[in-house]
Amino acid sequence: MDDLKGKYLGQIADAADETALESIRLAAIGKKGEISLKMRELGRMTPEERQVAGPALNALKDEINSALAAKKAALGDAALDERLRGEWLDVTLPSRPRRAGTLHPVSQAGEELTAIFADMGFSVAEGPRIETDWYNFDALNIPGHHPARAEMDTFYMHRAAGDNRPPNVLRTHTSPVQIRAMEAQGAPIRIICPGGVYRADYDQTHTPMFHQVEGLALDTDISMANLKWVLEEFCRAFFEIDDVELRFRASHFPFTEPSAEVDIRCSWAGGALRIGEGDDWMEILGSGMVHPSVIAAGGIDPEVYQGFAFGIGIDRLAMLKYGIPDLRAFFDSDLRWLRHYGFASLDVPTLRGGLSR
Ligand code: PHE
């Protein structure tokens, strides 16, 4: 009995893995194991012999079972330790040891303008970049034959042959979010929507994808005077200089009446773009009082609610504020440019802490 015990406990102690353990178990106490066979011989013993051998065999079987269980647990712990050692990671190391990433000027400008409008009570709304014909045009009072559709240089999505619905479009402006926000929230409402828009256009101040921030404010008593104040206040806060000069020009949009485009005084002298000086004007936004048909398309009663909307070019704001003369560079993904014009990613702009300093 002692030989058996010594043999199997020794094997268990030396077992390298669970497979080895299992074959030891089979050899000792499996159906045809050595100890099981011995237990079968008990029947052939005299009662006196059996009284000694029976309990001893049972005790041995128990001992082997617990040795197996203990070794199995120890093997599991060792495997876990091994894995923890292998997958060890120093979470205190800096994520970019040599060069921190930076925020793109468009992202930075987006964060800044969101902080400013949030302070004026606007919340952020969103909509899809692939938009239906209805949201991008019809709901905004731009019917099928309207010249504005052609003027916008729209990118149309493909439709399967035989599908006669009007094609979806890459949204040409953020104005469809006016409709979506009115549908979702009703009135009164005060929202902005920053996001990407698309038009087939390419030169120093136009790229096929660019960014706008839409604004919409509806209530029972909102006038053009409120629009003018909000835009002027916004520009002063955004450019962080008091002598920003704006020019409101009467204009036309199908979705506003009356409409105004706003230009900002700037200088291109010497190839550098500077704001607050010079004799040039750069158009930065379109705006106006929301057309009653648009309010109705959003599911709101235009007899009760009125208000203003605007669409500002975010990229243009960033060009002016940070003195970047060519818009195309914004989307070239040139690392040297990104490092030069990028912003520290952890400096969240706030009105209290300063927007861009
Ligand atoms: N959607 C217009 C554009 O992209 C801008 C605009 C928005 C004008 C809201 C008036 C009101 O040109």
Side-chain angles (χ1 to χ4, degrees), residues 152 172-173 175 178 199 212 214 253 255-256 286-288 309-311:
M152 284 219 179
T172 55
H173 50 181
S175 299
Q178 287 188 38
R199 287 180 209 174
Q212 290 188 329
E214 193 77 9
F253 298 103
F255 31 92
T256 46
S287 65
F310 54 80

Side-chain angles (χ1 to χ4, degrees), residues 336-352:
R336 291 163 304 176
W337 188 92
L338 290 167
R339 280 176 189 142
H340 180 75
Y341 287 109
F343 289 82
S345 54
L346 294 178
D347 289 346
V348 178
T350 63
L351 291 180
R352 263 173 304 112

